[in-house]
Amino acid sequence: MLDLPTDLPADLAPFAWLIGVWEGTGVIDYPVGDDRLQGEFTHRVSFSHDGGPFLNYSATATFTGDDQAVSIPLVAETGFWRLSRPATDADPGPALLPPLGEPVTRGVDDVEELRAASGGFPIEVSIAHADGTLELYLGEIAGPRIDIASDAIVRGAGAKEYGAATRMYGLVDNHLLWAWDIAALGTPMRAHASARLAKV
């Protein structure tokens, strides 16, 4: 049974089931040229909030291959998840600029206005990777399911080729299941990794 937080800002209500730390294992299977990169990994994901209208996100993974004695740290991620809504004068930014208008407390009715015709809520996810890659995903959260697709990927001059991605998350039997498809290293978009995580 999941315990849902009750002290969330209204904008985070659709994300309530995600909040917490999740750990588990997954598998990688991705062809690169004549090679096939595959094996198992351990994964830890954290979703938290500090009172703002967004979730803080961080994730780390360690590749174990087919041999549990092998341990190779994979790229770590950090970022933010939020409902997609136009910024107003009551919002701070850009950069360190304070709000131009009076603070506004958003409520359930304000969030409900963002609901799409599909029944879900549009979301934006920004993720920075430790290897210098930045991703902006757009998508939707509909109950215990999230579907996002890359809108932009920015890479440093030394980063490996990475063109596009989609991610799917779902809550199944109190476990966080996810799948990540990528187009990278000359391989077109295809499944690359998936995992099953339990809340700790």
Side-chain angles (χ1 to χ4, degrees):
M1 165 99 36
L2 288 178
D3 289 326
L4 297 179
T6 57
D7 61 342
L8 294 177
D11 280 2
L12 295 186
F15 298 104
W17 60 271
L18 270 178
I19 295 173
V21 176
W22 303 81
E23 291 182 348
T25 59
V27 293
I28 297 169
D29 185 2
Y30 196 73
V32 178
D34 294 332
D35 295 321
R36 188 168 203 92
L37 305 176
Q38 55 191 149
E40 296 185 4
F41 64 96
T42 59
H43 195 46
R44 179 182 172 90
V45 175
S46 172
F47 292 95
S48 64
H49 76 96
D50 55 14
F54 55 85
L55 286 184
N56 301 301
Y57 165 80
S58 64
T60 57
T62 301
F63 185 68
T64 56
D66 294 324
D67 177 1
Q68 296 299 316
V70 174
S71 181
I72 302 169
L74 300 174
V75 173
E77 303 177 323
T78 188
F80 303 95
W81 294 52
R82 60 184 297 246
L83 289 181
S84 182
R85 66 171 176 83
T88 70
D89 284 348
D91 294 308
L96 296 179
L97 297 177
L100 297 172
E102 293 296 317
V104 174
T105 301
R106 292 174 47 78
V108 173
D109 292 339
D110 299 306
V111 172
E112 194 58 36
E113 288 179 5
L114 300 174
R115 190 182 292 275
S118 63
F121 294 94
I123 64 172
E124 301 169 3
V125 177
S126 56
I127 298 176
H129 297 247
D131 66 359
T133 301
L134 307 172
E135 298 175 288
L136 173 64
Y137 287 93
L138 303 179
E140 187 171 272
I141 182 168
R145 181 181 170 117
I146 299 170
D147 292 281
I148 54 176
S150 59
D151 183 61
I153 294 178
V154 178
R155 296 179 288 123
K160 294 181 179 180
E161 185 267 319
Y162 180 39
T166 63
R167 300 190 193 201
M168 187 278 295
Y169 297 79
L171 184 64
V172 179
D173 295 330
N174 290 330
H175 285 79
L176 178 62
L177 277 59
W178 64 257
W180 187 359
D181 295 359
I182 62 171
L185 304 178
T187 301
M189 183 76 82
R190 59 153 286 152
H192 134 264
S194 61
R196 180 182 180 95
L197 311 177
K199 190 171 272 193
V200 297

